[in-house]
């Protein structure tokens, strides 16, 4: 392997390059290799397989050679992910109040409709808007703004060693349809607040943080070069001065690098995150605030089973059954039991699967029975 083949993958690892992306990078380099006759060295059919193999080996080597650097990168990724998915405590309280108010207005609206129907009258628009202001003018925009209250809006913010505050701007674009006489076009609404892009916040934070340290080093080097009377210029990580001053500049660059990284950089970042996001919390998926008998008393956090993914539950149960089957199989094989006893283990395992299936069918039947009872009750109330 030449340096050219592995360089791009090694350098983009910190940017969160995936295995598929690394495979494409290496495949592109392999397609450039030709023999003395100008023919491609590797067959097109096998290039992809070779690239995938090399990509896996590079990832394994990076994990072995740069263990501590990999751990730091993982910590930066995880910190950014948690920050981007968190919400301030005040925002969670607003979310709770919004849900309770919405449920209260919906309850009052249903009650008013029922009273109007019993008294054979029709609710006027003013009464409806008084009970349900969310149905009035600007309802769509208010609905979108209220929806944002349940979404993470926190970006990753940190301070460089020079005291410069850095904010990652990555957010999901809010799009809207604009109908014209000729067609309907989709445009980005820059005036509408939008939730953060948690995936981009996570993957971009490690390289952005390292770049902020590099920029701090460059600035410190420039300041010291000016004090020493040197002409200084730079482009990214390339520093220039007159040839007669190169040795002096080299000493300044190295001294400033040592001075910068003598500081407890990671400890400072951890302390800043703990202070800046100390009142932030991560919403619990599948739970919501529901009202008590009296809305004035507030609400309580309760699992909303309608939002819990049934597929996840089914997969979990199937895994448990598969694990039990595997354990029974290993016990039968490991202890060298007789063939008849092994068959009995198989029959027991099959019986376990059958029992699980029976419980699943019973739960489905019970759910259908409850739904039918609810429909009958609703119909009787309407009558």
């Amino acid at each position: 392997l030449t340096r050219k083949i592995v360089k791009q993958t090694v350098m983009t690892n910190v940017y969160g390059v995936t295995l598929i992306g690394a495979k494409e990078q290496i495949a592109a380099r392999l397609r450039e290799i030709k023999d003395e006759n100008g023919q491609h060295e590797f067959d097109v059919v096998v290039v992809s397989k070779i690239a995938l193999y090399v990509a896996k080996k590079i990832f394994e080597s990076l994990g072995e050679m740069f263990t501590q650097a990999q751990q730091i990168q993982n910590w930066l990724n995880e910190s950014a992910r948690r920050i981007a998915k968190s919400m301030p405590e005040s925002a969670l309280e607003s979310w709770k109040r919004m849900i309770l108010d919405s449920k209260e207005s919906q309850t009052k609206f249903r009650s008013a409709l029922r009273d109007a129907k019993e008294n054979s009258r029709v609710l006027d628009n003013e009464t409806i808007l008084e009970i349900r202001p969310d149905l009035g003018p600007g309802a769509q925009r208010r609905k979108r703004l209220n929806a944002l209250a349940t979404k993470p809006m926190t970006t990753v913010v940190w301070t460089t060693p020079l005291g410069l505050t850095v904010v990652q701007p990555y957010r999901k674009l809010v799009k809207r349809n604009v109908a014209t006489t000729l067609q309907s076009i989709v445009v980005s609404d820059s005036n509408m607040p939008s939730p953060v892009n948690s995936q981009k916040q996570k993957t971009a934070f490690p390289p952005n943080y390292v770049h902020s340290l590099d920029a701090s080093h460059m600035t410190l080097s420039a300041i010291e070069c000016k004090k020493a009377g040197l002409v200084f210029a730079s482009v990214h990580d390339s520093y220039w001065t007159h040839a007669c001053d190169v040795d002096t500049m080299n000493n300044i660059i190295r001294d400033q690098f040592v001075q910068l990284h003598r500081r407890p950089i990671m400890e400072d970042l951890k302390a800043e995150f703990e202070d800046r996001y100390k009142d932030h919390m991560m919403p619990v998926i599948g739970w919501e605030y529901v009202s008590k008998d009296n809305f004035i008393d507030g609400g309580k956090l309760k699992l909303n089973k309608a939002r819990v993914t049934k597929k996840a539950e089914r997969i979990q149960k199937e895994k448990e059954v598969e694990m039990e089957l595997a354990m029974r199989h290993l016990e039968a094989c490991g202890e060298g039991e007789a063939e008849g006893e092994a068959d009995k283990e198989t029959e027991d395992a099959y019986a376990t699967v059958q029992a699980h299936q029976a419980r699943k069918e019973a739960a489905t039947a019970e759910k259908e029975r409850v739904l039918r009872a609810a429909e009958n009750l609703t119909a009787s109330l309407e009558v």
Side-chain angles (χ1 to χ4, degrees), residues 302-313:
K302 181 180 178 181
L303 180 63
N304 184 351
K305 295 183 179 180
R307 295 180 58 195
V308 177
T309 308
K310 297 299 180 183
K311 182 178 179 181
E313 293 181 351

Side-chain angles (χ1 to χ4, degrees), residues 340-371:
E341 295 181 357
D343 291 340
K344 186 177 182 304
E345 293 287 346
T346 304
E347 292 174 1
D348 292 342
Y350 180 74
T352 302
V353 175
Q354 291 294 100
H356 169 66
Q357 184 66 25
R359 288 195 300 269
K360 183 177 178 181
E361 293 175 354
T364 303
E366 178 64 18
K367 181 179 178 181
E368 293 176 352
R369 187 188 68 78
V370 171
L371 288 176

